[in-house]
Amino acid sequence: GTGKTAEIEFEKIYNLSVNNIPTARPVQRKDLPDLIYKDQFSKWNAIAKTCNQIQQTGQPILVGTTTVEKSEMLAQLLSEYNLSYQILNAKP
């Protein structure tokens, strides 16, 4: 869990131990290896292509970006694949 990742901090600063509590159900998440791209365009194009593949199965997709500009760029790429999408940006 999230406490385990900060175990050293909890021990040193707060003098607290961290215990691992197993989940009630088996973990369903698949931890895949990181993908490294040559440049930003290749990365975002791969994301749009993956969105296209997943959308064809009917599965909903949530993609987070770090900036408004990146979300708008991704929107353009998704438009090129003729995918419907909704953007939620916190711009004024």
Side-chain angles (χ1 to χ4, degrees):
T2 56
K4 194 68 174 169
T5 59
E7 182 174 16
I8 295 171
E9 178 184 350
F10 286 131
E11 287 177 353
K12 286 185 177 180
I13 297 173
Y14 305 107
N15 198 25
L16 294 173
S17 61
V18 175
N19 295 320
N20 223 359
I21 300 173
T23 59
R25 298 181 186 155
V27 177
Q28 294 181 1
R29 181 186 68 228
K30 295 178 186 176
D31 288 327
L32 302 174
D34 292 337
L35 299 175
I36 300 172
Y37 295 93
K38 191 174 187 177
D39 53 40
Q40 287 289 312
F41 177 76
S42 299
K43 172 185 170 180
W44 289 104
N45 197 38
I47 291 170
K49 186 176 181 179
T50 301
C51 288
N52 186 37
Q53 293 168 343
I54 293 171
Q55 186 271 339
Q56 291 176 7
T57 68
Q59 179 180 347
I61 307 164
L62 175 65
V63 180
T65 62
T66 55
T67 65
V68 171
E69 292 79 16
K70 287 181 181 177
S71 69
E72 290 173 347
M73 179 197 50
L74 179 59
Q76 288 179 329
L77 289 170
L78 294 175
S79 293
E80 290 178 16
Y81 282 99
N82 294 319
L83 296 176
S84 62
Y85 57 86
Q86 293 179 347
I87 296 179
L88 176 61
N89 283 332
K91 65 181 186 179

